[in-house]
């Protein structure tokens, strides 16, 4: 890893590592290659009591960082260039620890750079209050303070940047905690970005629990922005309640794709398949259930199964691989368990249905037919390369089934009559719905799960404002005049 390997101990250019190095404080933990199941490197196992110093430094760095929006923008643009330039180091490391095909890792790096550029160009807008009173009032925006960013292992670079780009652009400082399954690419990313920023504006901490829990509950943190599972999101919100820090939670999903009876199955099959199986199905907004009209059911199952059988599965560093392994052993066990349960309950594996007989965490791309509607693979989040396809008799039943879980992240409707598809999409209980697509996201759009899939809004200007608080300034029109409505003001 020439050029961008984060040094052990204190780093140049503002990235700091607390403890971890041999002879320093704390130990190290092994990082496994999911394509082999074997350790290939290690990361600092930082202790929760190291967080006080990290957060203190983030708070000290905030004073300078918050005060100059133009300098922030310049620094974030430089950081974007640096991330792009480091792509040849970042992408293979990401593939090695996460498992995804190398082309997908490069796409993550490109997205991180694009996101830094996008937020570098966003300014919060001052809003005059026009209510007829003879006073000039204006809403301005202020940053919150040190932000804790806690992210999972499925998109370690993309999700880290989705947290720190808007938070930094808004004038906050950030302490990032990646998943212990994928600490290395995040560390390298932070060392690259932080080199373009003042010292301690962006810091990374790595380690096993309770590091994340203690960071979320740390009294010096003013915003906890978390991406991960619903149960952990609950724990994070409970932890942040102690200091009443703001929380933004981007949580699990169980997105349904509803196929209409005028759908052209062959035409949409590739897109639908990859909407479910990209990143080995480990995408919060993957299609995780398909509802197909009974008349087309056999065709839909067959079209998806054919594609599942023909995917080249292998190590992400192998250029022929279109799908890598699952990221970690617990996730493989989860996927294996919910598939076995569905098969035991009467489902049929139209493709796959089993792990692959090779080292590493590989599972065959699986399409399940005739699945009982209450099966865990339907009502829970499988988060792997297993797709249940369910038949429906009438459309109202399909919409009701799509909405019948506690999840509410995304959803999609597939058909030829776009007006009809739009009307059905409008009935889905989720934050984003697509027609004839799934999980295509613009940097400029709000991203918010409904129901248990999220709290708060990320993405676009909403993501910037999610890292700001309003500050209202009232001034009279003349030096001696009041607003003329003091009495009302105190009512
Ligand atoms: P997870 O909830 O187990 O872990 C997420 C992060 O939280 C990791 O960094 C983990 O170390 C940390 N953590 C664990 N326990 C913690 C605690 N008590 N307090 C604070 N932090 C703690 O999730 P995962 O298994 O890493 O990721 C998969 C989940 O993430 C899936 O449910 C997926 O849908 C979800 N996800 C959601 C989005 C979204 O934008 N909505 C995006 C990607 C992934």
């Amino acid at each position: 890893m020439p050029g961008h390997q984060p040094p052990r101990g204190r780093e140049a250019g503002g990235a700091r590592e607390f403890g971890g190095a041999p002879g320093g404080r704390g130990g190290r933990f092994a990082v496994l290659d999911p394509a082999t199941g074997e350790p290939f490197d290690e990361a600092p196992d930082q202790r929760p009591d190291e967080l006080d110093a990290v957060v203190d430094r983030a708070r000290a760095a905030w004073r300078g960082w918050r005060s100059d929006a133009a300098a922030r923008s310049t620094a974030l643009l430089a950081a974007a260039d640096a991330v792009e330039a480091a792509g040849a180091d970042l992408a293979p490391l990401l593939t090695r620890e996460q498992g995804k095909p190398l082309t997908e890792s490069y796409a993550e790096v490109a997205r991180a750079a694009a996101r830094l550029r996008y937020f570098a160009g966003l300014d919060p807008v001052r809003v005059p209050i026009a209510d007829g009173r003879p006073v000039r009032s204006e809403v301005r925006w202020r940053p919150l303070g040190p932000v804790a960013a806690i992210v999972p292992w499925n998109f370690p670079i993309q999700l880290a940047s989705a947290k720190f780009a808007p938070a930094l652009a808004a004038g906050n400082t950030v302490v990032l905690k990646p998943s212990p399954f994928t600490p290395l690419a995040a560390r390298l990313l932070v060392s690259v970005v932080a080199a373009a920023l003042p010292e301690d504006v962006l810091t990374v901490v790595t380690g096993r629990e309770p590091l994340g829990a203690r960071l979320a509950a740390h009294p010096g943190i003013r915003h906890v922005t978390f991406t991960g599972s619903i149960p952990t999101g609950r724990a994070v919100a409970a932890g942040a309640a102690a200091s009443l820090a703001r929380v933004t939670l981007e949580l699990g999903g169980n997105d349904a794709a509803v196929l209409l009876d005028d759908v052209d199955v062959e035409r949409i099959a590739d897109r639908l398949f990859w909407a479910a199986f990209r990143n080995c199905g480990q995408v919060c907004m993957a299609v995780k259930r398909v509802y197909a009209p009974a008349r087309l059911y056999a065709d839909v199952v067959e079209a998806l199964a054919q594609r599942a059988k023909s995917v080249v599965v292998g190590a992400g560093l192998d250029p022929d691989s279109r799908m890598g392994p699952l990221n970690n052993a617990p996730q493989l066990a989860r996927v294996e368990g919910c598939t076995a349960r569905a098969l035991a309950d009467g489902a049929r594996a139209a493709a796959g249905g089993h792990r692959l007989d090779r080292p590493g965490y590989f599972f065959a791309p699986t399409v399940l037919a005739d699945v009982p509607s209450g099966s865990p693979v339907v009502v829970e989040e499988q988060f792997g390369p297993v797709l249940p396809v369910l038949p429906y008799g009438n459309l109202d039943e399909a919409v009701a089934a799509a909405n019948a879980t506690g999840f509410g992240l995304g959803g999609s409707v597939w058909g030829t009559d776009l007006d009809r598809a739009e009307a059905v999409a409008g009935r889905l209980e989720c934050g984003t719905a697509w027609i004839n697509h799934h999980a295509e996201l613009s940097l400029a759009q709000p991203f918010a799960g409904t129901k248990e899939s999220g709290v708060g809004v990320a993405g676009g200007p909403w993501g910037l404002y999610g890292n700001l608080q309003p500050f209202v300034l009232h001034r009279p029109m003349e030096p001696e005049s009041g607003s003329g409505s003091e009495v009302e003001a105190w009512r």
Side-chain angles (χ1 to χ4, degrees):
M1 214 49 58
H4 289 103
Q5 183 73 5
R8 293 179 177 186
R10 191 170 162 152
E11 296 180 15
R16 232 178 247 274
E17 172 189 318
F18 286 81
R25 295 174 296 156
R28 300 180 80 81
F29 64 94
V31 182
L32 308 188
D33 179 344
T36 62
E38 299 295 327
F40 75 98
D41 205 343
E42 47 184 32
D45 195 10
Q46 292 174 249
R47 294 190 316 263
D49 62 15
E50 295 173 48
L51 290 173
D52 287 346
V54 177
V55 175
D56 282 353
R57 287 180 179 281
R59 173 157 287 278
W62 183 45
R63 286 188 210 110
W65 183 247
R66 67 182 293 186
S67 63
D68 187 344
R72 285 202 300 274
S73 177
T74 304
L76 293 174
L77 290 173
D81 292 346
V83 168
E84 237 160 34
D89 291 332
L90 280 164
L93 182 60
L94 177 60
T95 286
R96 194 81 198 277
E97 69 174 356
Q98 203 285 330
K100 65 185 61 189
L102 197 51
T103 47
E104 293 184 25
S105 291
Y106 274 105
E108 268 203 55
V109 174
R111 184 83 165 170
R115 205 184 292 274
L116 282 162
R117 283 198 188 101
Y118 174 79
F119 281 105
L122 271 194
D123 278 325
V125 178
R126 290 185 176 194
V127 185
I129 308 285
D131 63 358
R133 288 183 304 145
V135 40
R136 216 185 291 160
S137 317
E138 187 177 75
V139 182
R140 300 177 180 180
W141 299 93
R142 288 180 164 174
L144 301 166
V147 171
I150 302 176
V151 293
W153 43 259
N154 60 336
F155 288 95
I157 287 187
Q158 188 175 311
L159 291 175
S161 73
K163 299 296 190 196
F164 66 61
L168 293 173
N172 305 287
T173 52
V174 176
V175 179
L176 171 72
K177 196 210 78 69
S179 165
F181 290 115
T182 52
L184 300 176
R187 278 171 48 74
L188 183 52
L189 176 71
V190 167
S191 92
V192 168
V193 172
L197 312 177
E199 193 167 39
D200 295 323
V201 164
L202 174 64
T203 317
V204 60
V205 293
T206 57
R208 292 169 288 189
E209 283 311 303
L211 189 68
R214 291 278 289 277
L215 180 61
H218 197 284
I221 292 294
R222 298 315 308 146
H223 178 200
V224 184
T225 177
F226 170 82
T227 297
S229 64
I230 291 172
T232 311
R234 285 203 177 89
V236 163
S243 62
L244 291 176
R246 180 181 300 188
V247 290
T248 302
L249 306 175
E250 299 175 56
L251 306 178
N254 188 0
D255 292 9
V258 178
L259 275 51
L260 302 181
D261 55 11
D262 64 352
V263 74
D264 181 336
V265 176
E266 268 310 308
R267 197 156 172 207
I268 59 118
D270 278 337
R271 238 176 300 145
L272 179 61
F273 177 83
W274 285 110
F277 288 88
R278 187 167 70 95
N279 201 26
C280 202
Q282 301 163 120
V283 180
C284 56
M285 280 191 154
V287 168
K288 294 186 178 125
R289 306 171 273 159
V290 172
Y291 292 92
R295 185 175 67 79
L296 298 174
Y297 184 67
D299 294 347
V300 173
V301 170
E302 181 54 25
L304 292 170
Q306 259 181 26
R307 284 158 178 82
K309 287 174 186 165
S310 66
V311 172
V312 178
V313 180
L317 290 175
D318 180 339
D320 292 333
S321 299
R322 288 293 310 274
M323 191 182 298
L326 286 147
N327 173 256
N328 56 71
Q331 194 56 32
L332 175 63
R334 176 181 172 78
V335 167
E336 203 170 18
C338 70
T339 304
R341 167 82 187 273
L343 294 173
D345 289 346
R348 171 174 65 88
H354 51 85
R355 63 190 294 177
L356 295 182
D357 185 18
R358 56 181 285 178
Y361 310 133
F362 290 95
F363 198 85
T366 296
V367 175
L368 295 176
D370 309 328
V371 191
S373 59
S375 182
V377 79
V378 176
V379 296
E380 295 174 12
E381 186 187 30
Q382 68 272 40
F383 216 59
V386 177
L387 183 62
V389 186
L390 298 109
Y392 70 83
N394 77 58
L395 192 55
D396 288 342
E397 277 170 25
V399 172
N403 290 336
T405 74
F407 298 94
L409 201 53
S412 55
V413 178
W414 305 67
T416 304
D417 180 341
L418 295 182
D419 291 337
R420 182 163 163 248
E422 183 176 333
V424 178
R427 295 168 62 192
L428 295 179
E429 294 171 2
C430 56
T432 313
W434 294 266
I435 294 162
N436 296 339
H437 270 287
H438 201 104
E440 303 265 329
L441 295 169
S442 158
L443 291 175
Q445 75 170 80
F447 182 77
T450 58
K451 300 200 273 188
E452 293 181 5
S453 286
V455 171
V457 187
W462 299 267
L464 187 75
Y465 289 108
N467 282 284
L468 290 162
Q469 56 197 350
F471 166 71
V472 185
L473 190 74
H474 293 265
R475 60 173 275 184
M477 305 298 270
E478 304 293 338
E480 298 309 322
S481 71
S483 70
S485 59
E486 288 86 347
V487 176
E488 279 176 42
W490 290 103
R491 273 217 296 244

